[in-house]
Amino acid sequence: MLKVYDLSLEDDILPLFNYTNSGESESLLKQIINKPLGSISEIHDRQQIIQALILNWDVLEAFSYQRLDYREVKNFLDDVASKRIVLETRQLKAFIKFTYDDSWRQQLRSRSVQVINFFHKLSSCFFSRLSIAFFPASFQTHLQVVKGFINKLSIEQQAELVAQQKFNLKATVHFSQKLDKLTPEEVSALWNSLAAVEAYISITKGILDHQFNFPAFNNNAFNLQNFYHPLLRDPVKNSLRLASNDNVVLLTGPNMSGKSTMLRAVSLCVYLAHIGFAVPASAAVIPYFDTISIAINTNDSLQDGYSHFMAEVKNLKAVVHEINSGKSCFAIFDELFRGTNSDDALDITATTIKGLAKYNNCYFFISTHLLGLKKTTSIQGVKQLSIGCTLNNDLPVFTYRLQPGWSELKIGRILFEKEGIPEMLQSEV
């Protein structure tokens, strides 16, 4: 089960890592971001790829190309490989054709030079300088596909002819002969591998630019040091350490104190870790979870005909079904059951907390305004945390700091009165 719509992956998180130049690379990056990996070994493999790119960053930092060049080169090679463009490879006939069709000769030479220059830059500036041994075998394959393609077209020799202005009619025919041998499968493999390399370079740049750090995995620990949400301009960084039996975290704090943002920050660290990325924290040790469910903006479902409350019930039921099948689970419930009346909400939230607290290898974060839940502190497996807020001249001062214990501060009435609404309501009509 994966429910992470509320993290706004493509709108908020993708831009943190998207430095791609082509639509193919961006599409692959979206796929990577939207799909958690299936095991810790797969996560370690992806981490190793990114760490190898970091070791080669002095070579890759300036990786780029012109979008228009890429598109034109790709279209040309695709057309050649699929024989939509038929090249004359017999030297005598080519010379005769070029003699009588100057525009075609100029066009073919121009396209050939564009192909040569495009791959020469990729080779001389980047691929030929990489230390491939750093990379896991799965990623070495992509690098070898690109380098093999460059070698097959003898790009270095062709580029030298172009530089010396010796890429003449004869050289154009010889290069056409190489192009004519390309198969659709070879060309497709080239673009797929180039997109993969570029997508991972883009991820690496995002990680380095934002100074994220790689997490470790331990099924008996949940520890986030100095974590934050990267979309905040000047974020307050918090730390969170949970024992293996702290199955339910009950989070309290007044409105506007930052509970939802806190939950998003924790969720983002967990999610990014599960796609093999570094996380917005100075250090992180977390379990591997089979199921991730984030419910921060649970709304009515018009399509399914569910009310807000029923949507919450259905979401909770899906989570419980997963954990009852033996899966480890990380779940967020922001103000659980706020879609029903306070009496019902208190009763069924207490029942939910008591039930969830018995599940080991799972962590559930529940934010609430229900003061009656304070007594759940006596339930084994429940940890109560709050977000700091003080009053200064009857105005709330938010610290955005995570702290142990329960928050009973009520600022609703204070703000209501500060705005002079009671007096306004008492005025004569």
Side-chain angles (χ1 to χ4, degrees):
M1 175 183 174
L2 178 66
K3 181 181 181 297
V4 292
Y5 313 112
D6 294 342
L7 289 181
S8 301
L9 293 177
E10 293 197 12
D11 291 334
D12 293 342
I13 308 309
L14 176 65
L16 298 174
F17 304 97
N18 190 7
Y19 298 88
T20 57
N21 293 291
S22 73
E24 288 77 10
S25 299
E26 182 177 31
S27 177
L28 180 57
L29 178 58
K30 289 179 181 179
Q31 292 177 39
I32 291 172
I33 285 179
N34 279 289
K35 186 178 181 181
L37 296 168
S39 66
I40 293 179
S41 63
E42 290 182 28
I43 291 172
H44 286 161
D45 188 69
R46 181 167 288 169
Q47 288 182 351
Q48 186 181 349
I49 293 171
I50 298 170
Q51 288 166 337
L53 290 169
I54 291 173
L55 291 174
N56 283 278
W57 200 243
D58 59 328
V59 173
L60 295 170
E61 184 175 11
F63 182 88
S64 67
Y65 52 78
Q66 295 296 319
R67 286 176 177 264
L68 180 59
D69 284 343
Y70 169 86
R71 183 54 53 193
E72 291 183 347
V73 168
K74 183 179 187 304
N75 290 340
F76 177 60
L77 291 182
D78 288 348
D79 287 345
V80 168
S82 64
K83 305 305 179 185
R84 288 191 294 268
I85 292 179
V86 178
L87 302 176
E88 180 55 72
T89 58
R90 290 170 292 184
Q91 191 162 315
L92 179 58
K93 286 194 173 184
F95 277 118
I96 295 173
K97 181 177 181 179
F98 290 159
T99 300
Y100 289 98
D101 193 344
D102 185 64
S103 64
W104 169 242
R105 177 174 63 83
Q106 292 294 341
Q107 185 180 15
L108 180 59
R109 183 185 183 282
S110 176
R111 288 189 166 189
S112 297
V113 169
Q114 188 178 32
V115 170
I116 293 165
N117 287 340
F118 179 81
F119 285 106
H120 175 62
K121 179 184 177 182
L122 291 182
S123 175
S124 61
C125 294
F126 309 113
F127 286 94
S128 66
R129 299 169 58 197
L130 289 177
S131 300
I132 293 183
F134 291 138
F135 296 91
S138 59
F139 199 75
Q140 286 185 22
T141 300
H142 289 305
L143 298 174
Q144 290 164 350
V145 165
V146 177
K147 295 181 75 170
F149 187 89
I150 290 171
N151 291 335
K152 182 172 184 176
L153 294 184
S154 303
I155 290 297
E156 297 305 316
Q157 297 92 316
Q158 308 296 337
E160 187 174 349
L161 291 175
V162 172
Q164 296 175 355
Q165 297 186 338
K166 293 182 179 179
F167 195 76
N168 52 25
L169 187 59
K170 182 177 180 180
T172 302
V173 174
H174 286 167
F175 190 61
S176 295
Q177 292 171 342
K178 293 180 179 295
L179 294 176
D180 189 63
K181 294 178 182 178
L182 295 175
T183 66
E185 294 74 19
E186 284 179 300
V187 174
S188 177
L190 165 71
W191 300 127
N192 290 338
S193 290
L194 186 58
V197 172
E198 184 180 344
Y200 275 96
I201 291 174
S202 181
I203 293 166
T204 305
K205 180 173 175 56
I207 288 172
L208 291 174
D209 283 358
H210 298 289
Q211 299 181 346
F212 292 172
N213 293 285
F214 286 101
F217 285 86
N218 184 332
N219 286 339
N220 296 313
F222 195 112
N223 181 16
L224 298 176
Q225 294 295 317
N226 300 312
F227 72 93
Y228 61 97
H229 198 292
L231 293 187
L232 297 178
R233 179 169 297 179
D234 295 305
V236 173
K237 298 180 180 180
N238 283 281
S239 294
L240 173 65
R241 183 183 293 273
L242 302 177
S244 58
N245 61 345
D246 289 332
N247 305 112
V248 176
V249 175
L250 199 57
L251 181 64
T252 56
N255 285 329
M256 302 181 293
S257 62
K259 296 189 299 298
S260 295
T261 300
M262 183 75 67
L263 294 177
R264 282 192 177 91
V266 174
S267 303
L268 185 59
C269 286
V270 170
Y271 184 78
L272 289 179
H274 280 72
I275 61 173
F277 285 23
V279 304
S282 62
V285 181
I286 62 173
Y288 176 82
F289 296 108
D290 301 310
T291 292
I292 298 175
S293 176
I294 314 298
I296 295 177
N297 294 315
T298 303
N299 296 314
D300 297 358
S301 175
L302 296 177
Q303 182 179 357
D304 296 327
Y306 294 146
S307 69
H308 181 100
F309 173 70
M310 200 59 198
E312 292 181 303
V313 170
K314 290 289 186 180
N315 178 60
L316 177 61
K317 182 179 179 180
V319 169
V320 174
H321 176 77
E322 290 285 291
I323 55 181
N324 279 341
S325 68
K327 295 181 180 179
S328 58
C329 179
F330 172 84
I332 294 285
F333 303 98
D334 191 17
E335 296 188 34
L336 184 60
F337 299 133
R338 66 184 183 271
T340 189
N341 66 77
S342 59
D343 290 335
D344 270 354
L346 179 61
D347 179 40
I348 60 180
T349 302
T351 301
T352 299
I353 291 171
K354 184 177 180 179
L356 294 179
K358 69 183 182 181
Y359 290 103
N360 295 322
N361 303 318
C362 296
Y363 288 90
F364 309 98
F365 287 70
I366 301 174
S367 69
T368 186
H369 286 292
L370 299 172
L371 297 181
L373 292 175
K374 187 177 182 180
K375 61 184 179 181
T376 59
T377 187
S378 61
I379 299 175
Q380 185 177 0
V382 176
K383 186 179 184 68
Q384 293 185 352
L385 298 174
S386 61
I387 300 179
C389 179
T390 60
L391 291 177
N392 185 2
N393 295 324
D394 286 336
L395 287 176
V397 178
F398 302 107
T399 68
Y400 306 109
R401 292 287 180 189
L402 196 59
Q403 59 190 28
W406 184 277
S407 172
E408 296 190 53
L409 184 61
K410 304 175 184 178
I411 67 170
R413 184 73 190 185
I414 294 172
L415 297 178
F416 181 76
E417 293 177 354
K418 273 288 183 182
E419 292 298 316
I421 296 178
E423 291 81 1
M424 294 172 63
L425 292 173
Q426 292 173 7
S427 63
E428 296 183 3
V429 179

